[in-house]
Amino acid sequence: MRNIRNFSIPVLLIAVFGFMLMGSNMPENEDKKSDMPENIKAIVDKSCMGCHNSDSRSEKAKAKLNFTTFSELEDVKKIKTLRDIVEVLDEKKMPPEKFLKMHPEKGLTEKEELELKEWAQKEAKAVLNK
Ligand code: HEC
């Protein structure tokens, strides 16, 4: 009887700490995902990710905007980047024209452009009002 009790207390402690750790990690992971809804992720994957990711060969594009690490940006930088996204979309600067000539299928439809812009505006406001 004593043996069982000695054994089960550490096991119980490990289980409790395990659940506490899981509990504290889970909302964080969910937050990161909720930064970008699925439809926005799909648009970015198709039209932007090729150049704006951690493995991009374009240092310039990566330095200006890296979607791989976007969710980890501090608030001020995130807001600035979101505003830049709205701006380049308004000005039809992104994706670049040259790139679209070679890959017309990666262009944004009007609906996608609007969705991406609305997401960036909403997200910037959400970070601002946090
Ligand atoms: C073919 C590669 C390529 C694709 C695809 C691409 N970009 Fe870019 N992007 C660049 C490069 C290169 C720069 C840096 C331009 C410069 O510094 O003049 C840039 C710069 C930017 C900037 C910073 C602008 C500034 O003036 O600071 C934003 C924001 C941006 N891109 C958003 C996007 C979005 C949103 C998409 C998808 C809709 C996209 N890009 C798709 C290559 C790309």
Side-chain angles (χ1 to χ4, degrees):
M1 207 43 199
R2 172 170 291 173
N3 273 345
I4 288 171
R5 208 184 288 148
N6 284 350
F7 172 74
S8 56
I9 287 174
V11 167
L12 199 70
L13 279 177
I14 288 168
V16 167
F17 275 114
F19 276 120
M20 279 164 65
L21 280 175
M22 271 166 64
S24 64
N25 278 339
M26 267 185 334
E28 206 179 305
N29 289 340
E30 272 171 22
D31 268 351
K32 275 191 187 158
K33 270 197 219 124
S34 69
D35 264 4
M36 214 175 263
E38 283 305 313
N39 64 321
I40 299 301
K41 219 169 142 276
I43 296 171
V44 167
D45 276 348
K46 180 185 77 162
S47 302
C48 319
M49 202 62 177
C51 303
H52 294 284
N53 75 85
S54 287
D55 299 323
S56 173
R57 275 177 297 164
S58 170
E59 292 298 329
K60 252 187 173 176
K62 190 164 45 176
K64 294 256 174 171
L65 168 62
N66 182 350
F67 277 109
T68 314
T69 54
F70 177 77
S71 65
E72 292 151 30
L73 286 180
E74 39 183 284
D75 289 354
V76 176
K77 282 210 177 129
K78 197 182 257 182
I79 291 172
K80 186 188 174 297
T81 307
L82 287 163
R83 289 184 177 160
D84 285 346
I85 291 174
V86 175
E87 199 178 301
V88 296
L89 293 175
D90 272 340
E91 294 172 355
K92 312 254 179 226
K93 266 169 63 181
M94 289 287 148
E97 215 173 311
K98 260 197 211 157
F99 167 79
L100 288 179
K101 276 201 186 123
M102 275 158 42
H103 307 279
E105 77 286 357
K106 302 216 170 186
L108 297 167
T109 64
E110 246 170 70
K111 182 165 168 270
E112 287 168 340
E113 186 186 309
L114 199 69
E115 278 175 359
L116 188 53
K117 220 157 42 179
E118 279 173 357
W119 166 78
Q121 280 161 341
K122 212 176 85 192
E123 193 69 17
K125 259 192 212 146
V127 178
L128 202 63
N129 295 328
K130 213 160 71 171

